[in-house]
Amino acid sequence: MDGQPSVGAVIEQIPPRLRSAREQKGYSLSELARLTGLSTSTLSRLESGQRKPSLELLLPITVALGVPLDEIVAAPRILDPRIPQQPTKKDGRVLIPLSRHQGEPRAYKMTIPAHDDTPYLRTHDGYEWLYVLRGQLRVRLGDHDFVMGVGEAAEFDCRIPHWFGAAGRGSVEVLSLFGKHGERIHVRARAAGRPATSA
């Protein structure tokens, strides 16, 4: 993977960095113009991206602001976009994270073993979205009891008592999107024989 950003990508970062550096120092455009000898119009056009930055313009600005030149023109850092495979296993179910961010919703690939076919309804806050990749998925949602095949998707309010598990002879793989409440439910081991509860 080529980790070097284009020249254009680097230049696009300069205007907002100039504005941010000036604002952090508490200078107005007119004050910076007085310190640098550049016109207010030139500074404004630099910060808006309407004027191409050059060393002749950037050097007096960075000196006046007291910031290193590479803080303004450094190439943006490019992170490896690949997600580390860190599976979690609970009650035979394997969850592999497919998203790195800490916000919601979070994406997972879930493998449910064939023997996980006894409904155990739960409720919690949030919504859940499911997509069947392989096998057959049985879903219990309130009074509804149905089976989903490969390529089928479903979404539901998790405040409704729900459960999903294997419906065929083999295991089932699904993509799942849910928030922190759903994550806590799916990765937490359940006590055998307990009735449906609210998380």
Side-chain angles (χ1 to χ4, degrees):
M1 178 178 175
D2 185 5
Q4 296 300 318
S6 67
V7 172
V10 174
I11 292 176
E12 286 178 1
Q13 296 294 316
I14 293 176
R17 288 180 180 178
L18 284 174
R19 182 180 300 105
S20 176
R22 175 178 61 79
E23 291 175 347
Q24 285 180 10
K25 294 293 183 178
Y27 292 147
S28 65
L29 284 173
S30 58
E31 288 172 326
L32 187 58
R34 181 176 51 81
L35 291 171
T36 60
L38 301 172
S39 70
T40 301
S41 173
T42 295
L43 292 173
S44 177
R45 292 173 64 203
L46 279 172
E47 289 190 2
S48 65
Q50 295 177 359
R51 175 149 185 177
K52 189 172 182 178
S54 66
L55 283 178
E56 183 180 42
L57 297 173
L58 294 177
L59 284 175
I61 295 174
T62 56
V63 169
L65 295 177
V67 298
L69 180 63
D70 61 1
E71 186 174 310
I72 302 298
V73 298
R77 185 182 177 194
I78 297 180
L79 300 175
D80 188 339
R82 293 171 294 182
I83 309 298
Q85 298 295 297
Q86 299 175 330
T88 300
K89 186 173 183 178
K90 291 291 183 182
D91 295 328
R93 296 189 176 198
V94 178
L95 277 77
I96 299 176
L98 301 179
S99 56
R100 189 198 309 268
H101 65 86
Q102 297 302 306
E104 297 184 11
R106 297 187 185 183
Y108 288 87
K109 175 184 173 184
M110 184 185 307
T111 302
I112 305 171
H115 61 77
D116 191 345
D117 58 0
T118 303
Y120 178 74
L121 277 66
R122 300 297 300 264
T123 62
H124 53 86
D125 291 334
Y127 279 79
E128 183 147 10
W129 177 88
L130 301 171
Y131 179 84
V132 182
L133 295 170
R134 179 177 59 82
Q136 291 186 309
L137 182 73
R138 181 185 175 193
V139 179
R140 285 282 308 274
L141 182 63
D143 295 331
H144 298 281
D145 189 338
F146 55 94
V147 174
M148 296 170 55
V150 174
E152 290 191 283
E155 65 178 345
F156 52 85
D157 186 333
C158 295
R159 291 172 297 181
I160 300 172
H162 63 280
W163 168 91
F164 54 87
R169 295 181 179 178
S171 61
V172 59
E173 287 185 353
V174 299
L175 290 180
S176 178
L177 297 177
F178 48 74
K180 61 184 178 181
H181 297 290
E183 179 181 35
R184 183 162 55 89
I185 292 299
H186 290 302
V187 302
R188 183 175 62 190
R190 69 176 184 229
R194 290 184 60 189
T197 60
S198 177

